[in-house]
Amino acid sequence: KSFLNHTAYLSCYFPNSQKTDIKDFIVFWQKGDEVVHEVYYGQEKHDNLSPKYINRTKMDMDKWTLQLLNAGIVDEGQYKCIIIQRRDKGSPKVIYTSECLLYIFANYSQPEIAWLHTGELKPSKYLNLSCSSSGGYPEPKQMTWLISHENRTLRLMRHMDVSQDAVTKLYSVTTKLNITVPTNTFTNISCLLHLGDQLGSLVSVPLGI
């Protein structure tokens, strides 16, 4: 996993690798048919690299780990590492292969609540709000409205509109709320953006009515 525009680390660490000399091996990474990085007997080679990886990769030879600089959303996917050993007799032999999946994350902005109606609030009339967040990746799970009053919190699910920027591939999300104006009690309304089990949630500044 890597954050957008940060360095991603792709490990090809294999059993007893600390006891071996990288000068005895050919190591290369692939993504599909593209060559991501090559190391020939301890020397990094750039002749066959796919253009998108030129000047973006380097190998930590002590840790058998490839560093992919400035990782972008287009870099998401499965990478394969192949290690080939030189032999005194016969042709070099593949001794180890591994695969890893790279996931990219970008932080969403804090959800922000906006008023959609004009005029004063009146009891029994409707209150129209929206909640928005942008600039994130991957696509979030859902948005939830939290309406709190008198030590009780009501959770409301509404349709979430999702759009993706064609160039950056980052997502923007919006949800709308239409409820009757609370009467005779102070009410806090917040919006919660669920990013997934491992990423947690973001919450807006509460709106007090």
Side-chain angles (χ1 to χ4, degrees):
K1 296 174 182 175
S2 174
F3 277 103
L4 181 67
N5 299 328
H6 285 59
T7 299
Y9 297 89
L10 308 174
S11 177
C12 195
Y13 198 77
F14 64 99
N16 296 319
S17 56
Q18 71 275 13
K19 297 178 183 177
T20 59
D21 188 343
I22 200 166
K23 292 185 175 66
D24 294 330
F25 298 93
I26 299 170
V27 184
F28 64 95
W29 273 264
Q30 285 179 290
K31 184 184 182 212
D33 296 331
E34 298 176 320
V35 178
V36 178
H37 197 77
E38 294 181 302
V39 180
Y40 274 71
Y41 308 122
Q43 297 294 316
E44 293 180 289
K45 279 185 63 178
H46 306 286
D47 307 353
N48 302 317
L49 299 191
S50 170
K52 70 172 74 167
Y53 298 110
I54 292 174
N55 297 325
R56 290 186 57 219
T57 58
K58 59 182 179 180
M59 181 175 174
D60 183 332
M61 308 219 186
D62 294 327
K63 297 180 180 178
W64 297 80
T65 298
L66 181 70
Q67 299 176 25
L68 177 59
L69 310 179
N70 197 31
I73 292 169
V74 293
D75 294 317
E76 274 198 326
Q78 185 162 286
Y79 291 77
K80 186 173 186 178
C81 168
I82 301 166
I83 298 178
I84 300 168
Q85 186 171 29
R86 177 163 49 186
R87 296 192 295 176
D88 294 335
K89 295 180 180 178
S91 57
K93 179 184 178 184
V94 174
I95 64 161
Y96 183 76
T97 63
S98 70
E99 293 181 348
C100 64
L101 275 170
L102 175 62
Y103 296 96
I104 302 296
F105 297 95
N107 287 324
Y108 281 84
S109 62
Q110 182 181 18
E112 192 170 326
I113 296 175
W115 298 78
L116 295 179
H117 71 286
T118 56
E120 57 184 313
L121 292 179
K122 295 181 179 179
S124 78
K125 296 295 184 181
Y126 280 97
L127 174 66
N128 295 310
L129 303 172
S130 72
C131 181
S132 302
S133 177
S134 62
Y137 191 89
E139 186 176 347
K141 301 300 182 186
Q142 63 191 40
M143 284 180 121
T144 304
W145 290 95
L146 305 177
I147 302 172
S148 303
H149 56 86
E150 296 177 340
N151 297 324
R152 287 172 44 220
T153 298
L154 180 66
R155 290 175 172 263
L156 295 178
M157 301 286 297
R158 294 293 183 264
H159 173 72
M160 182 174 70
D161 288 313
V162 180
S163 62
Q164 186 178 27
D165 188 282
V167 177
T168 66
K169 304 300 182 188
L170 299 177
Y171 287 99
S172 296
V173 292
T174 301
T175 186
K176 295 178 180 177
L177 180 68
N178 184 288
I179 58 169
T180 53
V181 175
T183 56
N184 304 324
T185 178
F186 182 78
T187 299
N188 259 335
I189 299 177
S190 301
C191 171
L192 196 64
L193 177 64
H194 302 268
L195 300 175
D197 294 338
Q198 297 180 342
L199 297 173
S201 301
L202 293 173
V203 66
S204 69
V205 174
L207 176 68
I209 298 173

